[in-house]
Amino acid sequence: IVDVKYEKNSKASFFIQYKSENNGRYFHNLKQTVFMDENSEGNISVINGINDESDSFISIENELKENAKLTHILLELGGDNKISNYYSRLIGDNSKNFVKNIYIGTNNNTVDINYNIEAIGKSTKCIIESQGALIDSAKKNFKGIIDFKEGSTKSIGKENENCLILSDKARSRSLPVLLCHEEDVNGEHGVSSGKPDKQKIFYIMSKGISYSDARKLLVKANFNNILDGIENESLNTEINDKIDEKINEKINETNEKISDKNN
């Protein structure tokens, strides 16, 4: 259980990283609450690096007052079952909440993402950005809700989820939802799910890069915008190494299977 309270006019960044050093099945459950008083600003990164046999459960609740700004970066890199629930209430005028998520699903992993942001105050702003990759028989369910409550006039809400599917057996389901109880608001949502673009793959390979490395570059390119938000240099390097390890191993295995099938 992690409770974070930002006092009025305060500013702070936090990094929460959990991982398992040994093999074996473990269970991790994070319950986090964040309260942000007026004019506060916070950046919180949560990095899941447990092994692929273990399960990860995350539950986050936020409440933002006037002019508060909260950025959450949630990296779901490890674990067999990865379940994330995120709930925010933007009760103060001009409050802002940005949620940035990266997930990787391999083997028979299940990735379940549920985000719900309520715009209550006037001129609030919330953005949900989710970038992921699925390999092997991994399954992903994404549900993002932006709810404009009555009185949230002039508020802005945007959500975008992009999933690269790198095998025939992987499955991706997405449900972006916009709810409006107020007329003068701006809401947008978009979902993209599918295999890597063949034209992009061809272009990259025309530069002398292998098919396998071209696919890896496309995955990393989608992740980079979110990873740039990790301000700790050593942690950023560690995260990139972890992503490279998972992507390299699994994409190489997939390519070997394709090659064997063609032969």
Side-chain angles (χ1 to χ4, degrees):
I1 298 177
V2 179
D3 294 327
V4 182
K5 183 176 181 179
Y6 286 84
E7 301 288 350
K8 186 176 180 179
N9 300 317
S10 65
K11 181 177 181 180
S13 296
F14 298 95
F15 301 94
I16 301 173
Q17 181 183 26
Y18 54 97
K19 53 187 176 181
S20 49
E21 298 293 344
N22 303 313
N23 293 327
R25 193 168 187 86
Y26 299 92
F27 172 87
H28 180 271
N29 183 22
L30 170 66
K31 182 178 180 181
Q32 181 183 101
T33 60
V34 181
F35 173 79
M36 306 198 71
D37 210 339
E38 298 176 10
N39 301 307
S40 59
E41 181 176 347
N43 295 279
I44 301 177
S45 300
V46 181
I47 303 102
N48 163 17
I50 59 178
N51 67 45
D52 291 336
E53 301 174 47
S54 300
D55 296 328
S56 170
F57 299 88
I58 297 175
S59 175
I60 298 175
E61 294 187 16
N62 312 310
E63 185 171 284
L64 282 65
K65 298 190 73 173
E66 185 176 351
N67 292 314
K69 178 182 176 182
L70 174 62
T71 300
H72 253 118
I73 297 178
L74 309 175
L75 306 184
E76 296 285 3
L77 307 181
D80 183 17
N81 296 298
K82 298 178 267 281
I83 315 297
S84 298
N85 292 292
Y86 189 95
Y87 174 56
S88 273
R89 299 177 71 244
L90 308 184
I91 63 175
D93 295 350
N94 300 301
S95 56
K96 298 177 177 63
N97 188 195
F98 305 122
V99 189
K100 302 179 180 182
N101 162 254
I102 289 175
Y103 62 85
I104 299 176
T106 62
N107 301 318
N108 291 306
N109 292 172
T110 296
V111 183
D112 199 302
I113 300 169
N114 297 280
Y115 294 160
N116 187 346
I117 300 179
E118 294 183 352
I120 300 172
K122 297 178 182 179
S123 300
T124 67
K125 184 175 183 179
C126 61
I127 297 178
I128 298 172
E129 180 182 0
S130 182
Q131 298 285 346
L134 299 178
I135 314 174
D136 301 323
S137 298
K139 301 175 289 296
K140 181 270 305 179
N141 298 299
F142 172 87
K143 183 178 182 181
I145 300 174
I146 297 177
D147 189 356
F148 296 101
K149 296 296 188 181
E150 185 176 351
S152 60
T153 180
K154 304 295 184 182
S155 290
I156 298 172
K158 300 179 181 180
E159 59 179 314
N160 178 61
E161 196 252 338
N162 178 51
C163 178
L164 275 180
I165 300 177
L166 301 172
S167 73
D168 293 332
K169 295 182 179 180
R171 294 292 179 266
S172 172
R173 297 182 179 88
S174 300
L175 181 62
V177 179
L178 292 175
L179 302 175
C180 294
H181 305 272
E182 181 63 55
E183 293 184 358
D184 190 10
V185 296
N186 183 353
E188 301 176 15
H189 65 70
V191 169
S192 174
S193 180
K195 294 184 177 181
D197 186 280
K198 292 182 179 180
Q199 292 185 342
K200 291 181 180 179
I201 292 288
F202 178 80
Y203 176 78
I204 296 173
M205 292 178 67
S206 70
K207 306 299 180 181
I209 298 173
S210 69
Y211 174 69
S212 177
D213 287 340
R215 298 174 84 202
K216 297 172 192 174
L217 284 173
L218 285 180
V219 174
K220 288 297 294 291
N222 289 343
F223 291 174
N224 281 340
N225 183 49
I226 294 177
L227 293 176
D228 287 344
I230 303 292
E231 300 171 348
N232 185 299
E233 185 174 346
S234 61
L235 182 57
N236 195 304
T237 299
E238 182 180 343
I239 292 169
N240 273 282
D241 289 344
K242 178 69 173 179
I243 292 174
D244 287 339
E245 177 186 332
K246 292 184 71 68
I247 292 175
N248 290 343
E249 176 185 358
K250 288 301 176 180
I251 287 183
N252 288 338
E253 286 181 4
T254 302
N255 290 338
E256 289 175 3
K257 291 177 182 178
I258 294 173
S259 178
D260 292 340
K261 183 178 180 180
N262 292 336
N263 291 333

